[in-house]
Amino acid sequence: GTLFHATYVDSNWTFEKRVIKDVFTSKSLCLLFRIQTITDVTTSLSERYLKIEKILSAIPLGTASAESTANGKKGNPALGGYDCVLWTGDALRALSKEGLIDLQGQSVDSVMDLARSLAGPEDAKSMVGKDFGGLTIM
């Protein structure tokens, strides 16, 4: 599959797209959370993939995005006031708006809250900079 992600590199946020052969060996993934299985047969899978990629790559990154879409949620100050969790929320909003995913009547915030509760500590920001036996959370 393909991993789409917001990554903080050299004090800048960038859109990342990379091939993943086995998500269970990822060194950066902290939660795999299925939102929806794509079953639409009206468009080809490759057409749908290209549309998803186009939408996700157009999502603004960084503090300006966080201030405009985060509904009062704050990003990580150590990462320029932004984080990949905020980007994921923006990604869900964009994909839902375009009809590519169906959140089953739930808000993006409620989906993200559930995902975060499954991913780790209530305040995941507290994990930044901690070493977990060879894996440092950035």
Side-chain angles (χ1 to χ4, degrees), residues 58-98:
I59 294 171
L61 297 165
T63 307
S65 172
E67 291 171 354
S68 66
T69 63
N71 298 325
K73 295 187 182 199
K74 301 290 183 192
N76 190 323
L79 303 176
Y82 191 70
D83 59 37
C84 61
V85 175
L86 293 176
W87 180 86
T88 302
D90 290 344
L92 290 175
R93 280 182 199 82
L95 293 171
S96 179
K97 180 181 175 184
E98 293 297 322

Side-chain angles (χ1 to χ4, degrees), residues 1-22:
T2 303
L3 172 73
F4 298 106
H5 195 252
T7 306
Y8 196 63
V9 178
D10 297 326
S11 300
N12 290 303
W13 283 98
T14 60
F15 174 71
E16 177 185 18
K17 177 186 89 167
R18 64 182 153 105
V19 174
I20 297 289
K21 293 182 181 177
D22 181 359

Side-chain angles (χ1 to χ4, degrees), residues 3 5 7 19 25 36 41 54 72 85 88 105 111 113 115 120 122 127 129 131 134 138:
L3 172 73
H5 195 252
T7 306
V19 174
T25 61
Q36 178 177 347
V41 293
K54 181 179 179 182
V85 175
T88 302
V111 171
D113 288 345
E122 187 173 312
M127 306 311 281
D131 185 348
M138 301 303 271

Side-chain angles (χ1 to χ4, degrees), residues 14-77:
T14 60
F15 174 71
E16 177 185 18
K17 177 186 89 167
R18 64 182 153 105
V19 174
I20 297 289
K21 293 182 181 177
D22 181 359
V23 295
F24 300 106
T25 61
S26 172
K27 293 181 181 175
S28 62
L29 189 64
C30 63
L31 177 70
L32 181 61
F33 189 82
R34 180 172 40 187
I35 302 295
Q36 178 177 347
T37 301
I38 298 173
T39 58
D40 180 10
V41 293
T42 60
T43 58
S44 75
L45 191 56
S46 61
E47 287 176 299
R48 189 163 211 151
Y49 172 86
L50 291 173
K51 189 170 184 180
I52 289 169
E53 180 181 18
K54 181 179 179 182
I55 291 167
L56 295 180
S57 66
I59 294 171
L61 297 165
T63 307
S65 172
E67 291 171 354
S68 66
T69 63
N71 298 325
K73 295 187 182 199
K74 301 290 183 192
N76 190 323

Side-chain angles (χ1 to χ4, degrees), residues 81-138:
Y82 191 70
D83 59 37
C84 61
V85 175
L86 293 176
W87 180 86
T88 302
D90 290 344
L92 290 175
R93 280 182 199 82
L95 293 171
S96 179
K97 180 181 175 184
E98 293 297 322
L100 291 166
I101 60 171
D102 181 359
L103 299 176
Q104 305 294 314
Q106 296 183 74
S107 71
V108 168
D109 287 338
S110 67
V111 171
M112 291 298 296
D113 288 345
L114 174 60
R116 266 194 117 148
S117 73
L118 298 170
E122 187 173 312
D123 183 7
K125 291 179 216 166
S126 69
M127 306 311 281
V128 172
K130 298 218 173 161
D131 185 348
F132 292 91
L135 173 64
T136 302
I137 305 301
M138 301 303 271

